[in-house]
């Protein structure tokens, strides 16, 4: 069964600095996708970035990048030049290619950006 | 650009009462999902639908029923609410169930069962 682990319940970062949010996953399926979502205090779920298991390069979207280490089964989210508006819950999620391809989520990391 | 719309935004029920949450999407997506979010547990899939008239169980289906009579709507019902069903409920949709398809979420419904 697939499993997503986010070991950091809470993280703090100084404004304008970079921060890494950890995510490890477990799957035996060679085809899978990894996703990060942001949930601000207003509650909506915002899709940030995607990485496929066959992608050779790390995904990037603006200030977000995904540090994908396939052998270690980790998919850490890196936010560069943190802004106060980055304060939110962040969820790592995965979908497998075969069988049960429901999107499964980690428990989340609450990021607080300090001025 | 409505996307995925959930109604209501908040609801308070007494134990044993019933209710229905409505989800509507205007993106012509085939696939729709209901998740619940609880502190420390992320989001867990309740039920999903791969098309009009079809539904299937997810990870935590007990105590819930769903219906997809129209492609754009996905209803989540609680027949006899329990305090354990206090949660935030999210509806989502996707173009397909491929592993590279992100989910598009509604803004959530906060349900409290007393």
């Amino acid at each position: 069964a697939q499993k997503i682990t986010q070991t950091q319940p809470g993280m703090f970062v100084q404004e304008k600095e970079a921060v890494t949010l950890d995510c490890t996953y477990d799957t035996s399926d060679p085809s899978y996708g990894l996703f990060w979502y942001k949930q601000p205090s207003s509650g909506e779920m915002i899709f940030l970035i995607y990485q496929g298991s066959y992608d050779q390069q790390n995904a990037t979207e603006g200030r977000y990048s995904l540090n994908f280490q396939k052998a270690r089964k980790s998919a850490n989210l890196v936010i560069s030049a943190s802004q106060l508006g980055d304060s939110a819950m962040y969820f790592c999620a995965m979908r497998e290619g075969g069988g049960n391809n429901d999107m499964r989520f980690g428990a989340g990391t609450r990021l607080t950006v300090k001025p | 650009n409505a996307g995925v719309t959930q109604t209501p935004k908040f609801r308070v029920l007494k134990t044993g009462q019933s209710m229905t949450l409505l989800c509507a999407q205007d993106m012509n997506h085939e696939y729709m999902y209901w998740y619940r979010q609880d502190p420390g547990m992320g989001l867990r899939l309740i039920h999903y639908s791969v098309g009009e008239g079809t539904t299937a169980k997810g990870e935590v289906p007990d105590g819930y029923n769903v219906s997809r009579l129209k492609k754009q709507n996905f209803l989540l019902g609680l027949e006899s609410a329990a305090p354990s069903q206090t949660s935030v409920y999210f509806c989502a949709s996707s173009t397909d169930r491929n592993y590279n398809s992100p989910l598009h979420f509604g803004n959530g419904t906060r349900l409290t069962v007393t």
Side-chain angles (χ1 to χ4, degrees):
Chain A
Q2 53 176 303
K3 183 177 178 182
I4 310 294
T5 303
Q6 295 179 255
T7 58
Q8 306 154 314
M11 287 281 287
F12 291 88
V13 64
Q14 206 68 36
E15 193 178 10
K16 299 181 184 177
E17 292 185 349
V19 63
T20 297
L21 306 184
D22 295 341
C23 174
T24 58
Y25 59 92
D26 184 30
T27 180
S28 57
D29 195 322
S31 303
Y32 54 89
L34 298 156
F35 304 80
W36 278 91
Y37 283 84
K38 173 184 179 181
Q39 186 180 43
S41 58
S42 51
E44 70 269 33
M45 294 287 287
I46 302 167
F47 168 58
L48 294 178
I49 195 167
Y50 164 81
Q51 179 86 41
S53 60
Y54 298 110
D55 294 343
Q56 295 295 313
Q57 293 191 329
N58 288 340
T60 60
E61 290 286 349
R63 293 187 299 110
Y64 304 108
S65 61
L66 204 153
N67 184 359
F68 181 45
Q69 298 187 44
K70 193 171 183 177
R72 299 177 65 180
K73 294 188 175 179
S74 74
N76 298 339
L77 178 70
V78 181
I79 305 175
S80 63
S82 296
Q83 302 172 356
L84 296 178
D86 294 334
S87 294
M89 281 289 288
Y90 289 82
F91 292 96
C92 180
M94 181 174 70
R95 293 187 90 162
E96 293 175 329
N100 183 349
N101 55 5
D102 299 330
M103 185 173 288
R104 299 291 182 108
F105 289 79
T109 295
R110 181 170 297 281
L111 176 66
T112 302
V113 181
K114 298 195 280 188
Chain B
N1 285 352
V4 180
T5 303
Q6 291 182 233
T7 53
K9 289 183 169 50
F10 302 94
R11 187 73 188 268
V12 178
L13 289 179
K14 294 186 187 303
T15 298
Q17 288 184 321
S18 63
M19 70 162 290
T20 300
L21 302 182
L22 173 62
C23 177
Q25 53 95 3
D26 62 1
M27 296 177 284
N28 203 33
H29 286 172
E30 286 290 339
Y31 301 85
M32 297 187 74
Y33 314 81
W34 276 106
Y35 283 84
R36 61 177 288 172
Q37 180 183 12
D38 302 293
M41 303 188 74
L43 280 75
R44 292 179 294 166
L45 182 64
I46 304 171
H47 286 281
Y48 64 93
S49 169
V50 301
E52 183 178 317
T54 70
T55 63
K57 295 180 180 180
E59 183 184 359
V60 288
D62 294 343
Y64 305 95
N65 56 76
V66 288
S67 64
R68 183 106 180 261
L69 299 180
K70 293 183 179 180
K71 182 177 182 178
Q72 63 268 34
N73 296 337
F74 194 29
L75 279 61
L76 177 71
L78 285 72
E79 290 187 349
S80 180
S84 61
Q85 294 177 304
T86 293
S87 188
V88 179
Y89 292 85
F90 283 96
C91 177
S93 69
S94 66
T95 53
D96 52 52
R97 293 195 78 210
N98 290 336
Y99 67 84
N100 61 353
S101 289
L103 301 188
H104 302 269
F105 284 89
N107 287 340
T109 296
R110 184 173 294 275
L111 172 66
T112 302
V113 183
T114 61

